[in-house]
Amino acid sequence: VQLVQSGGGLVQAGDSLRLSCLLSGDPSRGIAAAWFRQAPGKEQEFVAGSNWIGTSPTYAESVKGRFTISIDTAKNTLYLQMSNLKYEDTAVYYCAAARSSVFVGEDGQKYDFWGQGTQVTVSA
């Protein structure tokens, strides 16, 4: 399994942005997917996660109501739609995947595969 990210960039507070993560490999035996982020000088933080069919997504409190995780199974692509972006959302964002048919939680150590990361910068 390989994950290739796209999207990201510089936006203003209040703007929206969508991140994409293309999964190469066969997800048919079960993939749990998630988004994490890491801001300068801070620990890696869970953002959102789901199983591969997108049921019962889980969100960090800090993004709940503003971010949406979704999956296009036909395109093997994971998305993170971010709305009403805030300065504190500035970070490098990573998609991650684990071999599991259910969501594996918010601990990054439970994920086996990672995207290359993409910078999201929100100007105040």
Side-chain angles (χ1 to χ4, degrees), residues 6 15-16 20 30 36 41 51 69-70 75 112:
S6 59
D15 284 352
S16 298
S20 301
F36 291 81
N51 59 13
I69 186 172
S70 63
K75 296 182 178 179
D112 306 303

Side-chain angles (χ1 to χ4, degrees), residues 3 6-7 32 41-42 64 73 91-92 102-103 106 110 118 121:
L3 303 174
S6 59
K42 294 189 176 181
K64 200 172 289 185
T73 55
V92 177
V102 298
F103 175 56
E106 303 179 10
K110 295 185 177 179
T118 186
T121 302

Side-chain angles (χ1 to χ4, degrees), residues 1-122:
V1 173
Q2 289 186 320
L3 303 174
V4 179
Q5 297 180 224
S6 59
L10 172 64
V11 296
Q12 294 184 333
D15 284 352
S16 298
L17 199 60
R18 188 178 77 165
L19 305 182
S20 301
C21 176
L22 174 64
L23 183 149
S24 63
D26 180 11
S28 63
R29 290 190 293 172
I31 288 286
W35 290 94
F36 291 81
R37 66 186 182 186
Q38 188 164 20
K42 294 189 176 181
E43 299 278 325
Q44 184 184 73
E45 176 188 20
F46 169 81
V47 175
S50 173
N51 59 13
W52 194 245
I53 57 175
T55 56
S56 301
T58 299
Y59 296 94
E61 284 297 323
S62 59
V63 306
K64 200 172 289 185
R66 300 188 298 121
F67 290 13
T68 302
I69 186 172
S70 63
I71 296 166
D72 186 332
T73 55
K75 296 182 178 179
N76 271 11
T77 302
L78 173 73
Y79 299 99
L80 184 68
Q81 178 67 48
M82 304 182 290
S83 301
N84 191 20
L85 282 159
K86 302 177 181 181
Y87 174 76
E88 50 265 38
D89 294 319
T90 296
V92 177
Y93 284 71
Y94 299 90
C95 59
R99 284 286 187 196
S100 173
S101 58
V102 298
F103 175 56
V104 298
E106 303 179 10
D107 182 352
Q109 293 188 356
K110 295 185 177 179
Y111 293 83
D112 306 303
F113 310 102
W114 291 82
Q116 78 275 21
T118 186
Q119 177 71 44
V120 173
T121 302
V122 184

